[in-house]
Every structure is written in structure tokens, then in C-alpha cells.
Amino acid sequence: MKLAVIGTGYVGLVSGVCFALKDNKVICVDLAEEKIKKLKQAESPIYEPGIEELIEQNLQEQRLEFTSDLEDAVRRSDIVILAVGTPSLPNGEANLQYIEQAAAEVGAAMNGYKIIMTKSTVPVGTNEKIREVVARHTRHAFDIVSAPEFLREGSAISDTLHPDRIIIGIDNPALRETMVELHQDFTDNIYVTDIRSAEMIKYASNAFLATKISFINEIANICEKVGADVTNVAVGMGMDKRIGSSFLQAGIGYGGSCFPKDTNALIQIAGNVDYEFKLLKSVVEVNADQRYMMISKLRESLGQLNGIHVGVWGLSFKPNTDDIREAPSLEIVETLVKEGAFVKVHDPIAMDKFREQFNHEFIQWCSTPEEAALGSDAVCLLTDWDHYKQVDLRMLGSVLRKPILIDGRNVFTEQQIAESGLEYYSVGRPRMSGLNGLSPSVAGAV
Ligand SMILES: NC(=O)C1=CN([C@@H]2O[C@H](COP(=O)(O)OP(=O)(O)OC[C@H]3O[C@@H](n4cnc5c(N)ncnc54)[C@H](O)[C@@H]3O)[C@@H](O)[C@H]2O)C=CC1
Ligand SMILES: O=C(O)[C@H]1O[C@H](OP(=O)(O)OP(=O)(O)OC[C@H]2O[C@@H](n3ccc(=O)[nH]c3=O)[C@H](O)[C@@H]2O)[C@H](O)[C@@H](O)[C@@H]1O
């Protein structure tokens, strides 16, 4: 099939590349000329493992094009995919300015019947607005489809090629066959429903996953007070198939461009129809508090923050991405420097993006985790990159001024800590100290 993808960000680029791999002719469009220039050279403007190889392969096999000429791309396509951003407005509602603008441009460019498929995350009822906007700009016939995206950054390609399910919202039954044909190369698990339900499935799914994270974080906070270990609790809970083991990793809370934005948008969607989504409001509140746990643990271990030196490991909101949108690191590093701490940061990929958004004379940019630790009073791990799991903790103790490791993602094992000589603070696990020795863990399936 011939596809135009409007918006070549995390979603548009990955979708475009994966549709091209499945033998569709894809034209990816973006108004950012510098992105298009890079992409034409098979250079990705985002860090996503494996993406550049696939762009190159698709370009060579002439299934994929990049352009900033939206009109030409729309005219040469049968299906137009909207994948532009829907960021938060100050009140939490989704900002629909970009999607409405894109819809208007698509309408004005149309030269015949098109299917317009929305992949951006949009509040319930938005596809009806998109229909109105397109209709105002064209006299040609068209159909609207809601096809929300569920990929995760860092594993976006495999999530797209092997999704758990694909959701398609339509109001014209005649579209079912084309939509199934387009998507069945990825999975047979395709659920076709009405447009409003498809739009709601996206928000409900993200809100549910965010709820699981805030739930386990609250359990972690209680575990600390009652002497249980949240990592063991999560394993035991996850063995129940009704609960499932994913998204039960306690830590400093969720970040990223989606959970924070989409939970707030759903609260607003509910509020607009006079429904107070109390549970989701608490999920957001718990998440906001959770990142400050890092600061309280530093205070607990060092007394005061003014004048201390802190090594920070990890800036991106999760591993395997350069994305720092709503990353806990932003608030944590900013609080540290405001309190007068000197911060030595390291991230394998996201340092440039972080520096563009937040820079300060008290921040030192380090090229290795060891450099960030050297001479620091404590190290705080904020992102669970594999790089940090591989650091020799015995060496860490020898380069730190005080042997304190605060692990915001619970990545280290009891064994590693026992051998490390470090004073170890984590999220929802008993305080451990390699100096005093540990009693051996009894946890494990029989
Ligand atoms: N990032 C993620 O992991 C996921 C994002 N989503 C949703 O997908 C949507 C897109 O998200 P991202 O890809 O992260 O956004 P992004 O900000 O990375 O990319 C959006 C792109 O659209 C371009 N754009 C904006 N208006 C345009 C126009 N009129 N014509 C051409 N290009 C235009 C921008 O220049 C930008 O490159 C959002 O609604 C988001 O909630 C859904 C699932 C996963
Ligand atoms: O709508 C979106 O944009 C996407 O949002 C999330 O994907 P993403 O934000 O890329 O990454 P996740 O792996 O979900 O992680 C989100 C945040 O939750 C945190 N997290 C995740 C899992 C967990 O158990 N604990 C936890 O704290 C991560 O550290 C990260 O900060 C969803 O998982 C995707 O299905 C969805 O498409």
C-alpha cells in the first residue's frame, strides 16, 4: 500500500520504517527540515536501537522516502497516517494544535479519496474534530481511522514488529478489510472497534500501567517501614497470572513523554464530563512525590546537601533512549544544585539533550560512571542503563569520598552489595551495608 506518515518523531519514524519493511511504499514527512536532511542520509534524529540500519535498508530498497513536502506525499498516497505530537497544555489537557494543523494541511493537499489514520494519542472525540477539519479543506471523500500506538521507546522496533495487539477504531465497516490487511503482517491479534472506544483504550492502557507503577511504589514505601523487600514482593505478586509481573518495578517513578502527559489528559477528559478520576489523581501525586525520595535519602545519609558532591548515573527517563522529556533526573538535578550541591552527571546517550534543557555551573559532565563517582560523597542511580549494572562496586567504594550508593531503580543484587563495602539505599528494600555483612537471602522459587 502507499502510505504518507505526517510527523517523523519517535512514533512516525518507527511506524514508517516498519510499514516499509513490510513492503509498503512509505513517505515520511516532517516540517523540521534538519530532521529530513539527516534522515535522507540514513541518520536518525532520535536514538533508538536498530533504527539506522533499517532506515538504510529501506532507502536502498526504495520503499521509504523522506520529505518536507506534505502536499506531494499526500497526493502520492492512499493512506495518510497522522503521528504529530500532542503535548500537554498548562492545565494538563492535550494540545491539539499540531494535529489540527496537520489535518488541515492534509485536507488541502488531497487529490482524491484517502484514508486518514490517527496514530497520535488524542482525547476521545478528537477524530471527529479531525474529520471536520479535513472536510473544511477538501471536497474529496475520505475516511477516518483511529489506530493508537503502543510502542515503548528503547524497544520501539520490536514492539512495532511484534505487538501484543493492534487496536483499530472505525465507523465505516467497509474499512475493516483494508485495515486488517495493512496490519496483519505484524500480528493477527487485531481488535476492531468504534473510534471513541479506540481513543479511550489508549489512555486507559497508559493510565493503568502508570497505576501499576505508583501502586508498587507505595508498596515499596511501606516495605521500607515494615522491613519487607519490595523486589521479593513484586516477584511473588507477579506469579499470579491475574496480576502479571510486568510494570511492578519499584523506583523513583515514571517519566517520559507519555505517562505524565496522558494521565493528566485523562484526568481532564474525565473532568470535562464532570467526573473526578480520584484514583488517577492519586497515581499522579504518588509519582510526583516518589522522585523526591532520592533527595530525602541523600539527606538521611549525608545530613545536608549544601556543598556536597553527588555523582548522578543516568539522565534519560528510561534506558536505551536519549529522551529526557519529564525525566525524574531533571527535577532531581535541579533540586540538588538549588540546594548548593555539586553534581557530576553521566549518561551514555542523553547528556547533550539534558544540557540543552538544563545547564548550571555546579554540573560537571562526565564521560564514564567511574568519573562521576570519583571524589563524590555519594552516587545516585536514576536510570537503569546496563552500563551501571556492570560497574565493579568494590572499585566504586574506593573512588567515592563516602561509600554511599543510592539506587533509585533497585538494580543491584544483595550479593553485589554484600561484596561491595558500600552503604546501600534502595527503594523498598531493607537498608543494606556491605561493611556490616548481610544475612544470606532466602528468596527464590523452589
Ligand atoms: N514517544 C512514544 O513513545 C509514543 C508516543 N505516542 C504518541 O504519538 C504522538 C507523537 O509522539 P512522538 O513521536 O513522541 O512525537 P515527536 O515530538 O517525537 O514527533 C512529532 C513530529 O511531528 C512533526 N510535526 C508536527 N507538526 C507537523 C506537521 N504539520 N507536518 C509535518 N510534521 C509535523 C514535528 O516536527 C516532530 O518531528 C503523540 O501523540 C504521542 O503521545 C504514542 C505511543 C508511543
Ligand atoms: O504512549 C506512549 O508513549 C507509551 O508509553 C509507555 O512507553 P514508554 O514511556 O516509552 O516507556 P515505559 O517502558 O512504559 O516506561 C515509562 C516509565 O515508567 C518507568 N517504569 C516502568 C516500568 C516499571 O515497572 N517501573 C517503572 O518505574 C520507566 O522507568 C519509565 O520512566 C507505554 O509502555 C507504551 O505502551 C506507550 O505506547
Side-chain angles (χ1 to χ4, degrees):
M1 292 185 199
K2 291 182 185 160
L3 313 178
V5 183
I6 315 299
T8 311
Y10 289 87
V11 167
L13 179 59
V14 174
S15 304
V17 163
C18 292
F19 276 124
L21 267 187
K22 299 293 179 188
D23 253 349
N24 296 288
K25 288 267 184 201
V26 181
I27 312 173
C28 283
V29 184
D30 207 290
L31 44 76
E33 301 269 0
E34 71 283 6
K35 277 192 186 180
I36 296 299
K37 218 189 262 174
K38 277 186 166 188
L39 284 162
K40 283 183 172 169
Q41 308 299 318
E43 235 184 275
S44 174
I46 54 164
Y47 176 83
E48 186 63 43
I51 190 95
E52 288 193 338
E53 293 79 346
L54 294 184
I55 295 173
E56 184 146 29
Q57 184 188 334
N58 279 318
L59 285 173
Q60 272 170 12
E61 291 168 15
Q62 299 185 345
R63 291 185 299 243
L64 183 62
E65 284 174 54
F66 294 102
T67 181
S68 44
D69 187 345
L70 181 144
E71 186 179 355
D72 178 57
V74 169
R75 292 172 87 86
R76 290 199 282 130
S77 304
D78 305 317
I79 301 179
V80 180
I81 299 175
L82 300 178
V84 301
T86 49
S88 294
L89 286 167
N91 70 354
E93 255 172 353
N95 181 351
L96 299 179
Q97 166 193 347
Y98 305 102
I99 197 130
E100 289 183 2
Q101 175 63 30
E105 289 172 36
V106 169
M110 277 167 57
N111 55 344
Y113 172 78
K114 310 280 170 194
I115 295 174
I116 300 170
M117 190 168 109
T118 307
K119 263 202 177 290
S120 302
T121 303
V122 292
V124 181
T126 303
N127 274 288
E128 285 157 30
K129 279 193 201 151
I130 292 173
R131 185 198 308 282
E132 286 166 21
V133 174
V134 176
R136 275 206 297 277
H137 290 83
T138 185
R139 279 177 291 127
H140 295 287
F142 64 93
D143 273 300
I144 295 284
V145 175
S146 165
E149 179 54 61
F150 297 95
L151 64 78
R152 291 163 299 172
E153 289 178 25
S155 54
I157 291 164
S158 87
D159 286 351
T160 306
L161 293 176
H162 313 286
D164 283 351
R165 73 343 192 158
I166 285 172
I167 303 294
I168 301 292
I170 50 174
D171 58 0
N172 175 0
L175 293 172
R176 176 187 283 262
E177 203 183 314
T178 314
M179 284 298 114
V180 169
E181 195 189 327
L182 177 65
H183 291 98
Q184 70 189 0
D185 284 332
F186 301 115
T187 178
D188 289 332
N189 218 8
I190 300 173
Y191 182 58
V192 181
T193 182
D194 61 281
I195 291 179
R196 284 186 169 240
S197 301
E199 291 169 332
M200 187 53 124
I201 288 168
K202 174 63 196 178
Y203 279 103
S205 301
N206 271 3
F208 187 76
L209 293 171
T211 303
K212 258 186 127 176
I213 298 171
S214 278
F215 181 87
I216 200 66
N217 282 338
E218 291 224 277
I219 293 291
N221 297 341
I222 302 167
C223 279
E224 276 184 23
K225 293 184 187 290
V226 298
D229 183 329
V230 74
T231 55
N232 298 341
V233 173
V235 171
M237 284 173 68
M239 289 166 88
D240 184 330
K241 288 199 190 77
R242 294 170 304 173
I243 297 173
S245 56
S246 59
F247 280 74
L248 287 181
Q249 198 186 321
I252 51 173
Y254 60 78
S257 66
C258 290
F259 285 171
K261 150 175 102 59
D262 294 345
T263 44
N264 282 315
L266 185 51
I267 289 167
Q268 289 296 330
I269 291 168
N272 290 344
V273 289
D274 290 332
Y275 189 87
E276 188 185 2
F277 199 155
K278 291 185 196 145
L279 176 62
L280 198 54
K281 283 184 171 174
S282 301
V283 166
V284 170
E285 208 178 308
V286 168
N287 194 59
D289 291 347
Q290 198 65 15
R291 47 191 67 175
Y292 285 99
M293 184 270 312
M294 211 73 199
I295 304 288
S296 351
K297 292 209 161 149
L298 267 176
R299 279 194 219 282
E300 188 189 325
S301 56
L302 290 167
Q304 56 150 10
L305 301 181
N306 189 16
I308 64 161
H309 291 72
V310 186
V312 166
W313 285 355
L315 299 172
S316 56
F317 81 98
K318 63 179 281 190
N320 300 318
T321 179
D322 59 349
D323 200 344
I324 56 149
R325 291 179 282 184
E326 300 284 338
S329 62
L330 284 164
E331 267 176 83
I332 293 170
V333 172
E334 197 175 340
T335 307
L336 286 172
V337 296
K338 268 193 190 145
E339 297 268 346
F342 297 95
V343 190
K344 297 177 82 177
V345 302
H346 173 263
D347 188 284
I349 298 291
M351 284 212 290
D352 289 344
K353 283 211 169 155
F354 190 95
R355 202 189 280 117
E356 277 165 26
Q357 195 150 329
F358 185 71
N359 201 349
H360 193 279
E361 55 181 326
F362 288 0
I363 300 178
Q364 188 181 323
W365 309 92
C366 302
S367 51
T368 62
E370 290 81 3
E371 188 190 341
L374 187 65
S376 291
D377 295 296
V379 161
C380 296
L381 183 149
L382 307 189
T383 315
D384 38 345
W385 284 97
D386 279 345
H387 299 64
Y388 306 132
K389 296 176 190 165
Q390 285 149 18
V391 171
D392 174 356
L393 294 188
R394 276 172 296 197
M395 170 287 304
L396 185 63
S398 68
V399 300
L400 276 166
R401 202 145 66 174
K402 293 188 182 135
I404 295 168
L405 171 59
I406 305 182
D407 178 358
R409 298 289 179 185
N410 289 347
V411 303
F412 295 107
T413 62
E414 287 180 25
Q415 183 69 30
Q416 282 173 295
I417 299 307
E419 292 165 5
S420 69
L422 293 167
E423 202 175 310
Y424 179 72
Y425 296 75
S426 57
V427 185
R429 300 162 81 191
R431 171 127 158 247
M432 301 179 209
S433 164
L435 295 172
N436 304 328
L438 280 169
S439 46
S441 174
V442 292
V446 179

